[in-house]
Amino acid sequence: MLKEIEMLVQGYEAFRDSYFNGDNGLYEKLVAEGQKPKILMIACSDSRVDPAIVLGCQPGDLFVVRNVANLVPPCEESDQGYHGTSAALEFGIKALKIKHVVLFGHTRCGGIQSLFEVTQKNKERLSFIEKWMEIARPAFEKVQQQHIHSSLEDKMTTCEQYSLLHSLENLMSFDWIREKVEAKQLFLHAWHFDIQTGLISAHDSHINVFKPLVQETLQALHAKT
Ligand SMILES: [Zn+2]
């Protein structure tokens, strides 16, 4: 068997031993009661930023959407095209009644990086990524205008954070999200994970800065609720 697949089988066997062969009981509960995740997480497809691993979650804790660069598209007509992220938002918020949406961005994001690269030569091969990354273009343009003298790395980090804020705005373009947020029945969060240092910072909407997660979470949540 291929080594790569063998690794998965070993992982699966350990997982099965933990959750199904002992008296763990978690899946018994999740099957009997159905899933009741408290957090809807939108994270990047990047293999280094699995939110369940980074945030120490168990099966049933997170309802997760992962896509290139953890983007939320604006609300568009549902009969035009296919809207995977919007469908997951709809199910998580309307059917599962999740009250917290966390956008989970990260440093060294390849999707964001692609905005800074001249992709002309790869145009055909990366056409899906280019089209998808148009969602983050306003963030890219803001960085190019306002941070013209920053290093490329700093520009990309800032763009990742601006893109998170832009996705927050796009979340509010869905009527059924905006109404719940305004009624304080739904709370939106933008977190940014630095994969070099391990630091997660969270956007504080009161002062419009990203602050270390531990402080933000408790203070901002108390202020909002
Ligand atoms: Zn990424």
Side-chain angles (χ1 to χ4, degrees), residues 3 14 28 63-64 75 81 95 103 106 125 139 183 207 209-210:
K3 224 190 249 173
E28 216 168 276
F63 188 74
V64 183
C75 184
L103 304 182
H106 68 102
R125 195 161 55 86
I207 51 174
V209 293
F210 280 82

Side-chain angles (χ1 to χ4, degrees), residues 43-49 67-70 104-112 160:
C44 184
S45 302
D46 190 302
S47 60
R48 302 164 292 184
V49 299
N67 62 40
V68 171
N70 47 271
F104 195 56
H106 68 102
T107 56
R108 306 284 169 118
C109 181
I112 295 293
E160 287 150 10

Side-chain angles (χ1 to χ4, degrees), residues 36-197:
K36 292 177 184 165
K38 301 284 186 274
I39 307 287
L40 194 162
M41 180 76 60
I42 300 180
C44 184
S45 302
D46 190 302
S47 60
R48 302 164 292 184
V49 299
D50 187 324
I53 294 174
V54 174
L55 299 164
C57 294
Q58 293 294 308
D61 288 346
L62 301 179
F63 188 74
V64 183
V65 184
R66 296 184 74 173
N67 62 40
V68 171
N70 47 271
L71 302 178
V72 177
C75 184
E76 290 174 327
E77 293 298 321
S78 56
D79 58 354
Q80 303 275 324
Y82 298 93
H83 303 281
T85 300
S86 306
L89 283 167
E90 187 174 52
F91 189 74
I93 293 167
K94 286 190 176 179
L96 297 176
K97 304 195 185 312
I98 293 173
K99 292 197 170 96
H100 292 277
V101 176
V102 179
L103 304 182
F104 195 56
H106 68 102
T107 56
R108 306 284 169 118
C109 181
I112 295 293
Q113 192 181 341
S114 74
L115 290 167
F116 289 83
E117 289 168 347
V118 180
T119 53
Q120 217 57 23
K121 64 176 189 290
N122 295 326
K123 198 147 191 155
E124 275 188 342
R125 195 161 55 86
L126 298 178
S127 61
F128 284 108
I129 294 178
E130 272 195 36
K131 175 67 184 165
W132 174 250
M133 288 309 299
E134 280 178 17
I135 297 170
R137 188 152 288 279
F140 170 74
E141 282 165 4
K142 191 173 166 191
V143 170
Q144 294 295 62
Q145 284 160 13
Q146 298 182 1
H147 299 269
I148 194 160
H149 300 300
S150 299
S151 68
L152 180 61
E153 192 178 341
D154 286 348
K155 278 185 186 175
M156 287 197 287
T157 301
T158 306
C159 189
E160 287 150 10
Q161 295 184 343
Y162 283 172
S163 175
L164 285 167
L165 303 184
H166 184 62
S167 282
L168 282 181
E169 285 175 24
N170 284 345
L171 280 171
M172 295 292 271
S173 71
F174 294 78
D175 288 347
W176 37 272
I177 291 181
R178 195 186 61 251
E179 284 162 14
K180 280 179 184 282
V181 170
E182 287 171 356
K184 298 201 171 195
Q185 292 166 355
L186 176 66
F187 303 93
L188 309 181
H189 312 266
W191 292 2
H192 184 252
F193 174 36
D194 185 329
I195 66 167
Q196 288 119 292
T197 64

Side-chain angles (χ1 to χ4, degrees), residues 100 187 189 206 215-225:
H100 292 277
F187 303 93
H189 312 266
H206 295 103
Q215 289 176 33
E216 185 273 349
T217 329
L218 298 176
Q219 288 169 6
L221 277 178
H222 283 310
K224 283 173 182 171
T225 50

